[in-house]
Amino acid sequence: MVDVAWSLDGKIALVTGASSGIGSHFSRVLARHGAAVVLAARRVDKLNDVVNSIIREGGKAFAVEMDVSSSESVDAAFAIIANQVGVVDILINNAGVSGDAVQLSDVSLDDWDFVMNTNLRGAWIVAKEASRRLVDAGKSGSIVNISSIYGLREGVFKLPYNISKAGVAQLTKTMAAEFSKSKRAIRVNALCPGFFDTELNSEFVNSDYGKKYISKTPAGRLGKLKELDGPLLLLVSEAGSFLNGVLLPVDGGHVIQPV
Ligand SMILES: NC(=O)c1ccc[n+]([C@@H]2O[C@H](COP(=O)([O-])OP(=O)(O)OC[C@H]3O[C@@H](n4cnc5c(N)ncnc54)[C@H](OP(=O)(O)O)[C@@H]3O)[C@@H](O)[C@H]2O)c1
């Protein structure tokens, strides 16, 4: 018999950055485990494709346009969700961009702002709004922020990205600490993926340099999206009810690679 602690029946999940890659995959996984899933991003046509495929599988899914770098867009999207679906119990704060791959001296102000506004400020705005609505409704909830191994370890040529993801890691721990101090039943954890082949990094991981880099990591290969499913479900479901403020690498050991 399947342990009900892993079930998401009756839960409403919001996934940002659900129009491609990890976010669209997570939306399908959450729907298969019983959640009604709200998929958010800027490319609504792509969201609708994923929504339709979830519905064809028998799941519940809705699309909402959201630009996480705009607080007006986030507010408008939450108003639609509240009106049409309900209070979000599970937030997957996944929307992200990688920015330019350049040396420190060539990082532009525009690229810094673009990456920070999406990855860090955007994650904060969405988490703030989701948690405010949970508190107002007197409900418990689970927030999973998508950081990166580069939020935990050093990396080169991606200064704004790495700093934004370290910020997401600290956002995770600080929110978890504050909610537990104020006795709010909102758990906040983060997944820190290694390398997965998505739109974000396809060019790099399929380049000769990228393939060589990946071959030198402890696992010697890219992650498969399905290898994120167990960690995701653990953090969002009752199976992980005693996990709070955790930064969980899912990287085949990349983050503890000996120098
Ligand atoms: N792939 C990896 O190896 C890897 C490793 C570690 C961490 N991550 C993290 O995983 C997350 C998902 O990335 P991915 O690899 O799946 O890449 P992806 O396929 O490029 O997905 C990024 C998603 O973010 C959305 N997005 C970007 N800017 C947005 C904005 N301003 N507002 C709303 N949505 C926005 C995009 O949708 P629209 O363009 O439609 O808005 C897209 O759905 C990111 O946070 C990334 O940093 C990925």
Side-chain angles (χ1 to χ4, degrees):
M1 201 167 91
V2 177
D3 188 334
V4 289
W6 294 87
S7 166
L8 303 178
D9 279 348
K11 300 290 184 194
I12 297 172
L14 167 63
V15 182
T16 68
S19 56
S20 60
I22 292 172
S24 68
H25 177 75
F26 279 176
S27 300
R28 293 174 210 279
V29 172
L30 296 170
R32 278 181 203 134
H33 284 77
V37 185
V38 181
L39 293 86
R42 296 165 302 177
R43 291 172 295 172
V44 177
D45 52 336
K46 289 208 167 240
L47 290 178
N48 282 330
D49 290 346
V50 187
V51 164
N52 290 335
S53 81
I54 291 174
I55 291 172
R56 274 198 301 277
E57 272 190 27
K60 296 191 201 79
F62 310 82
V64 64
E65 185 173 359
M66 183 193 286
D67 178 348
V68 301
S69 66
S70 154
S71 60
E72 292 82 11
S73 171
V74 171
D75 287 348
F78 268 96
I80 293 169
I81 297 165
N83 204 18
Q84 298 188 3
V85 192
V87 177
V88 170
D89 307 284
I90 295 167
L91 167 64
I92 313 299
N93 226 341
N94 166 77
V97 290
S98 70
D100 296 335
V102 293
Q103 294 183 16
L104 294 183
S105 52
D106 294 328
V107 174
S108 69
L109 290 176
D110 282 350
D111 200 49
W112 173 277
D113 289 344
F114 170 60
V115 173
M116 290 297 167
N117 284 343
T118 307
N119 294 5
L120 181 54
R121 184 174 175 274
W124 166 61
I125 292 172
V126 177
K128 187 178 173 204
E129 189 58 20
S131 53
R132 185 184 71 73
R133 287 174 180 270
L134 276 169
V135 170
D136 286 352
K139 293 186 81 178
S140 60
S142 170
I143 296 175
V144 175
N145 295 320
I146 308 305
S147 177
S148 162
I149 51 168
Y150 290 110
L152 304 176
R153 58 162 288 171
E154 79 294 348
V156 293
F157 306 138
K158 289 272 179 183
L159 180 82
Y161 182 82
N162 298 347
I163 294 175
S164 72
K165 292 300 183 179
V168 169
Q170 186 62 292
L171 174 73
T172 303
K173 291 191 287 184
T174 304
M175 287 188 78
E178 282 207 22
F179 287 139
S180 52
K181 194 170 171 61
S182 56
K183 306 286 181 229
R184 304 288 186 202
I186 303 174
R187 297 185 296 111
V188 189
N189 295 291
L191 288 175
C192 303
F195 278 85
F196 293 77
D197 187 356
T198 65
E199 285 178 21
L200 184 99
N201 58 13
S202 188
E203 202 178 317
F204 171 71
V205 299
N206 291 302
S207 68
D208 288 343
Y209 178 80
K211 284 180 186 160
K212 204 164 160 191
Y213 177 88
I214 298 297
S215 73
K216 289 183 184 158
T217 61
R221 64 170 174 84
L222 293 168
K224 299 172 188 147
L225 288 178
K226 69 175 181 345
E227 292 176 306
L228 290 163
D229 299 0
L232 172 77
L233 290 166
L234 178 65
L235 295 185
V236 297
S237 71
E238 276 307 295
S241 57
F242 213 46
L243 293 173
N244 202 8
V246 167
L247 309 176
L248 180 58
V250 187
D251 65 344
H254 193 160
V255 85
I256 44 87
Q257 181 169 29
V259 179

